[in-house]
Amino acid sequence: MTRPLTSAERSVLGRNNWLQEEERKAIESRGERGRMEFWLRLTRSRMAKDIKAGRGDVVAGFTLVCRLFTLSMDKRSEGDARLWNALMQYAQQVLEQHGPRH
């Protein structure tokens, strides 16, 4: 027999379900570009909330992630896909372990 979910667990489950549904709708309406735009809007909103809460280091973190992503795209366009492949593999591993379940 499984125990009932706590309110915190129900909240996480509800948020994950909402994320999945919104991402699905974005994909249906605009394809992969819609998915990307959904995650960018969500990230921008979360960053604004973090900044208001006094966690301004989120800007530096996002900047570093963007620079890394751009660098990996540049290297791939130059014919060296190792950084791109490593970044994609790492991102997939992290999301499988810690991200919302899809």
Side-chain angles (χ1 to χ4, degrees):
M1 177 177 235
T2 60
R3 66 172 175 73
L5 296 175
T6 66
S7 63
E9 290 168 331
R10 283 192 310 275
S11 177
V12 168
L13 185 60
R15 176 155 177 80
N16 287 346
N17 289 340
W18 178 83
L19 287 170
Q20 289 174 357
E21 182 62 20
E22 291 300 310
E23 183 180 43
R24 183 192 62 75
K25 287 192 257 184
I27 293 167
E28 283 180 0
S29 68
R30 302 242 359 226
E32 287 300 310
R33 173 167 259 158
R35 179 189 299 211
M36 175 196 64
E37 290 167 350
F38 164 72
W39 285 107
L40 285 173
R41 280 191 309 275
L42 185 71
T43 301
R44 184 172 184 224
S45 172
R46 292 282 310 273
M47 287 176 66
K49 289 175 185 175
D50 272 22
I51 290 166
K52 284 183 182 178
R55 295 183 293 270
D57 61 340
V58 70
V59 174
F62 185 73
T63 301
L64 286 173
V65 168
C66 289
R67 289 178 59 202
L68 174 61
F69 190 78
T70 302
L71 176 63
S72 68
M73 287 190 303
D74 290 346
K75 292 288 186 182
R76 185 174 67 162
S77 70
E78 293 168 2
D80 183 2
R82 291 177 299 173
L83 182 57
W84 174 265
N85 292 337
L87 182 60
M88 294 299 106
Q89 182 180 14
Y90 179 68
Q92 187 65 39
Q93 288 172 352
V94 169
L95 289 172
E96 285 172 3
Q97 287 183 337
H98 303 285
R101 304 294 177 227
H102 284 97

